Amino acid sequence: MKNTEVAAKSFKVKGLSFLSVIIILLLWTLLSTLKWVDPIFLPTPQSVWHSFISLVVEGYKGTSLLTHLSASLYRLFTALLLAFVTAIPLGIVCGYSKYILAIFDPIIEFYRPLPPLAYYALLVLWLGIDEGSKVALLFLSAFAPLFIATVASVQRVPQDRINGALTLGASKFSVFVHIILPSALPDIVTGLRTSIGITYATLVAAEMVAATSGIGWMVLDASKYMRSDIVFVGIIIMGLIAIFIDSIIRFYQRLAFSWVGK
């Protein structure tokens, strides 16, 4: 009975989400078709769809749409992988030791609130205008939120739980593996979701300088020529990819951490 109620509630929630999307599409169609908004600013869904087909068939400025997507996703996932293998271990250590946290915290807290474009010029000077500066910018965007989430998740592990394991004879390594890491992992994954969102939002900034490929570059370049239809295509593609990535992580959360909040 309880499972049936949960399934019914989930169906209602998904139904509301679907309905909200339909309403937005209807409003978009109405406003653009009746030309209540200038087509330069709000193209019709039909023109956006035709532009998408054209991009799939012909590409944009001699480069296929798949190449643009691949370039952006390469930069994104390279930066995320680097952040994952550095921010999480360092965050765990800093969460466990206040002394190590005192070393790194001022540095991260200094650059974290800075707009990405504020230090992108330095990265270009140091690393050049090729892929290195772009990946570095995305890495810095991903690192700070993931590090902070990891530190906070480790610090929230109840001290009684750790002391109890030590009292029963567990080594510090066993406490880390069997107590700290499993307790902190749900919040770390949530921090990863936040990190991906921030990094994805920085992708367009990373492709502003000396780029000739990438979905963010395509949107920026199309905006210079008032091609709002292509801008809409790029934005919709980026949004759908972001939803897909986030859905995978949320699916993993439901499978691995079904006990959270219960």
Side-chain angles (χ1 to χ4, degrees):
M1 185 67 179
K2 186 176 181 181
N3 291 336
T4 305
E5 292 177 355
V6 171
K9 185 179 291 185
S10 176
F11 179 78
K12 289 179 181 178
V13 170
K14 291 179 180 179
L16 287 173
S17 298
F18 179 76
L19 181 61
S20 67
V21 173
I22 294 299
I23 291 173
I24 291 172
L25 289 175
L26 289 175
L27 286 174
W28 177 16
T29 303
L30 184 66
L31 291 173
S32 58
T33 303
L34 297 179
K35 295 185 179 181
W36 291 349
V37 180
D38 194 312
I40 293 178
F41 303 110
L42 186 65
T44 62
Q46 295 90 335
S47 65
V48 172
W49 174 253
H50 292 153
S51 296
F52 170 70
I53 298 300
S54 176
L55 287 172
V56 171
V57 175
E58 302 174 6
Y60 183 76
K61 291 197 170 180
T63 303
S64 68
L65 180 61
L66 183 60
T67 301
H68 285 298
L69 285 172
S70 299
S72 292
L73 292 178
Y74 167 78
R75 293 160 186 154
L76 179 71
F77 284 112
T78 301
L80 287 173
L81 179 62
L82 291 173
F84 186 83
V85 300
T86 55
I88 291 178
L90 183 61
I92 290 173
V93 172
C94 289
Y96 197 69
S97 172
K98 294 181 179 180
Y99 299 103
I100 299 178
L101 178 61
I103 296 173
F104 291 97
D105 190 60
I107 302 170
I108 294 169
E109 286 299 324
F110 172 76
Y111 95 82
R112 180 180 63 83
L114 294 176
L117 290 178
Y119 52 83
Y120 192 22
L122 280 176
L123 294 176
V124 170
L125 287 174
W126 293 342
L127 302 174
I129 59 176
D130 296 325
E131 296 298 315
S133 59
K134 297 174 178 59
V135 172
L137 179 68
L138 296 174
F139 165 75
L140 290 173
S141 299
F143 183 90
L146 187 54
F147 170 82
I148 292 171
T150 304
V151 171
S153 65
V154 172
Q155 291 176 338
R156 278 198 294 267
V157 177
Q159 192 62 41
D160 292 343
R161 192 179 301 173
I162 297 174
N163 292 336
L166 293 172
T167 302
L168 293 172
S171 65
K172 289 186 176 181
F173 180 76
S174 296
V175 168
F176 169 75
V177 172
H178 299 291
I179 302 296
I180 295 177
L181 191 57
S183 299
L185 198 55
D187 288 333
I188 292 176
V189 174
T190 301
L192 178 62
R193 288 180 62 191
T194 304
S195 179
I196 291 173
I198 294 174
T199 308
Y200 205 77
T202 311
L203 182 62
V204 175
E207 294 177 345
M208 285 181 66
V209 178
T212 56
S213 63
I215 196 72
W217 172 82
M218 187 183 77
V219 168
L220 287 169
D221 188 75
S223 68
K224 297 176 184 177
Y225 303 98
M226 304 296 286
R227 290 296 308 274
S228 58
D229 51 342
I230 294 178
V231 172
F232 268 68
V233 171
I235 290 173
I236 291 171
I237 290 174
M238 286 191 288
L240 291 176
I241 292 175
I243 291 172
F244 177 72
I245 295 172
D246 191 64
S247 297
I248 293 175
I249 298 177
R250 285 192 293 174
F251 179 72
Y252 170 73
Q253 283 181 308
R254 288 195 297 269
L255 288 181
F257 313 123
S258 58
W259 47 269
V260 174
K262 296 182 180 179

